[in-house]
Amino acid sequence: MLKKILPIHEILSTKKMKRISSAFLVFASVTAFAAAVPKKLVLGGEKGWDEVKSMEGIARVKGSGRFGYETLQLVTSTQEINDDTDLLLTFDDASVRDAIGHYEVVSCNLSHTNDAVRGRGAALSRGVEKGVTLKGDKNSLFGSNGMVGSFKIEFWLCPSLAESGETVFSWRSSLNSSVYSKYQMITASFSSNRLEWKFNNIFSGYEKDEIILSGKSMTVPKKWSRHTLSFDQDSGALEYCVDGRTECIKFITETGHENGAVCEPFVGVAAKVEICPQYSGKIDNFRIDRGISARASFDSCVPGKTGNERFKVDGGYFVSKFIPVSHSAVLDSIQAEMKVPSQTDVKFYVRAGDDCFAWDDNTPMWHEVAPGDKITGVQGLYFQLRGELLPDGGGANSPKLTEVVLNYTEQDDPLPPFTVFAEPGNGCVTLSWSNSVDDSAGGYYVYYGNRPGEYLGVAAFEGPSPVNAGNKTSLTLNGLKNGTIYYFAVSAYSKVDSRICGELSKEVFARPSARLTVK
C-alpha cells in the first residue's frame, strides 16, 4: 500500500519529528533515531479466551479467575472424551447436546445455569416436567440390542431436596425371544436421601431378576457429589461409588461371588433414555462409557483409594490463533496471571514468522519461554502462543490461567529523505536524495509514474515502481519515454525488514528528452 505523500511542513509536524533535536532543525547536522515502539497483546483477561484456536484437555471456565474473568483449566475426568465414550452431556451451553453425537435430544425441559461444578455450566431441573429425553443411534449402548460388556454411568448432582421417588436416570425396554419376553429397566432414584440403582432383567443367567444397589451416604441437598455406576465384564463387579468411595458392590456371577462365571448384561429393544425425568436440582457432566476405557477407570472406585481424580492426569494444551502485528515485531517477554497449586505447572511456548498460512504443527519452531524472562530470536509479522497445563500426580488440582500478556517492540517507520532532486536525460531520469535522518533506515525505494501522486510506472529497465535502490542516495531510471513527464518520490525502509516502509518524500518531476544528457 502506498503511503500518503506529506508536504515538508506536515512532515516536520509529525510525532516523529518531535524526536529530532532542535539543533538539526537549525543546522541539519544531528542524526535522529527512530524509536522502537513497545506494545503488548493481551489474551484472556477481560475479553476472555476467544483468541484460542484449538485446545485439548482444556476447558474455559467462566467467573473462576481474578476479577471474575474466564480461565483456562484442565477438563475434569467426566469431561474427557475417548474412543469408548458413548454419551457426554457437559451442559456448558444453553443448548443441550451429546458431544459424541450418538444420541439425539428428543426433548429438553432443563434450564441452563452458570453455577456448575465442572466446566462453564450445568443444567437445572425443576421436577415439573421430564428433564432430557435422548434417542440413541445404532452405535450407542441404548440405541442397539445385544451384549453390552463393560460400561460406566457417571454424573454430578446437586439436589434441591433429594426426596424419595425423585428419579435421575431411567431406561425402560423389553428383552424378546422366541420363547419369552421380559421387561427391562435401569433406574437411579432417591430413597431416604440416598441414591438407589435398580436393574431388572439386564444380566443373563443371574439368579435374581432384580438387582438393587443402595448408597450408604446420605446425599446432602444443595451440595455437589459425584455418582459413578460401573460394571466390569472381566470380574462381574457391579459397583456404585459416591465421590470415589464405594457405596455398594455386587458380583454378577453365577455364584454371586467374585470367582464365579460372569453373567453378561444384555439390552433388548432400543429405547429412549431419560435423564432427570422426576428430579429437582442441578446436574452436570452426565456421561456413559463402554469398553476397555471404562474398566481402566475403575480404580477411582476401589476401596481405600481417594479415587476422585478431578482432572485429566496427563494434562492438556491450547494453541492461540495467529496474532498479526502491523510490522515485523520482536517478542520481548510474556506475563501471565495464573494460579498454580503445588505440584501443578503451566508451560508456555511461542513462535513467530511472516507467512502464517505456510505454518504447520512444528514449523516455525516453538520456543519454550517463562513469564518474566527475556525472549530472543522470536520475530515476525505473526505471533502464536501455546500453553500446556499440567495437574499434580493425583489429578486433584489444576492450574488456572486467567491472562497472558505478550510484550513486544515494533520498529517505527523510518523518515523519508528531506530533499529529492530529479535530473532528466535522454530516455532516463537520475534521482538523488539526502540520507534519511533515522539511523534505522536500511535503504530506499524510488516510486515513479505518469500522474501526480500515482506511482504505477512499469517502463524503467530497473523494474516497475517502486524500485529498490539499496542503501544509496541516487538512482538512474532508464528506458523512460522522451517527452513524457514522470513524477517521483522516495521512501526509506527499515534495516530490520525492507517491508517496513516509511512515508514518501516530497514529490518531484522531470521530462526526459533526446537533447539532454545526464552528467
Side-chain angles (χ1 to χ4, degrees), residues 101-392:
H102 288 169
Y103 290 81
E104 173 192 354
V105 177
V106 178
S107 64
C108 179
N109 296 298
L110 299 178
S111 301
H112 183 261
T113 175
N114 293 325
D115 184 15
V117 66
R118 296 292 182 264
R120 298 191 304 271
L124 176 64
S125 175
R126 304 185 185 279
V128 179
E129 297 178 323
K130 291 184 178 181
V132 179
T133 301
L134 303 166
K135 180 181 179 181
D137 62 21
K138 62 180 181 180
N139 297 313
S140 66
L141 191 153
F142 292 109
S144 57
N145 57 58
M147 188 167 59
V148 172
S150 297
F151 66 89
K152 180 178 70 173
I153 301 173
E154 187 173 59
F155 47 84
W156 290 81
L157 288 181
C158 182
S160 298
L161 298 173
E163 288 185 337
S164 295
E166 288 191 275
T167 302
V168 177
F169 176 83
S170 177
W171 176 80
R172 301 169 188 270
S173 182
S174 61
L175 183 63
N176 300 324
S177 70
S178 58
V179 179
Y180 62 85
S181 177
K182 288 186 177 181
Y183 172 72
Q184 286 190 304
M185 180 184 73
I186 302 176
T187 60
S189 303
F190 281 105
S191 177
S192 302
N193 292 101
R194 297 168 176 83
L195 200 63
E196 183 179 82
W197 291 84
K198 288 184 180 181
F199 296 81
N200 290 87
N201 299 311
I202 300 297
F203 298 93
S204 177
Y206 192 62
E207 62 176 352
K208 296 180 180 179
D209 292 336
E210 184 177 71
I211 301 170
I212 299 177
L213 276 72
S214 299
K216 298 177 182 177
S217 304
M218 293 186 63
T219 302
V220 180
K222 300 182 181 180
K223 181 180 179 181
W224 284 104
S225 56
R226 178 184 178 187
H227 300 260
T228 307
L229 186 286
S230 59
F231 175 75
D232 182 358
Q233 67 177 354
D234 291 338
S235 65
L238 182 64
E239 193 167 18
Y240 171 46
C241 300
V242 176
D243 291 334
R245 298 182 298 272
T246 299
E247 298 284 306
C248 185
I249 184 171
K250 292 186 178 181
F251 289 92
I252 313 304
T253 63
E254 292 181 354
T255 62
H257 301 290
E258 186 173 358
N259 297 323
V262 175
C263 300
E264 299 286 352
F266 280 79
V267 295
V269 178
K272 296 174 183 177
V273 173
E274 295 179 344
I275 299 172
C276 303
Q278 198 173 0
Y279 165 75
S280 296
K282 290 175 286 189
I283 186 169
D284 202 1
N285 287 344
F286 188 103
R287 69 179 294 137
I288 300 173
D289 285 280
R290 58 192 301 185
I292 296 175
S293 66
R295 294 199 305 273
S297 63
F298 284 169
D299 283 348
S300 65
C301 292
V302 174
K305 292 190 177 183
T306 58
N308 193 17
E309 291 183 349
R310 299 175 58 196
F311 300 101
K312 189 178 177 182
V313 293
D314 54 351
Y317 71 89
F318 70 91
V319 180
S320 75
K321 298 176 182 177
F322 304 124
I323 306 170
V325 289
S326 57
H327 293 317
S328 185
V330 177
L331 187 61
D332 299 317
S333 65
I334 68 168
Q335 298 169 271
E337 176 64 43
M338 56 187 177
K339 184 177 182 181
V340 185
S342 175
Q343 302 179 35
T344 70
D345 199 6
V346 180
K347 294 182 179 296
F348 295 101
Y349 305 84
V350 294
R351 62 178 179 176
D354 296 328
D355 183 9
C356 65
F357 299 103
W359 293 7
D360 58 28
D361 291 342
N362 300 310
T363 306
M365 182 177 66
W366 290 99
H367 301 263
E368 184 173 357
V369 298
D373 287 357
K374 176 67 177 176
I375 298 173
T376 59
V378 180
Q379 174 181 335
L381 294 172
Y382 294 90
F383 294 153
Q384 193 170 31
L385 173 73
R386 174 187 169 99
E388 294 180 358
L389 276 63
L390 303 171
D392 59 345

Side-chain angles (χ1 to χ4, degrees), residues 36-56:
V37 182
K39 295 187 176 181
K40 68 179 181 178
L41 291 164
V42 179
L43 282 71
E46 185 177 5
K47 295 182 179 180
W49 289 95
D50 290 339
E51 292 303 313
V52 170
K53 176 185 177 183
S54 61
M55 57 186 178
E56 183 174 322

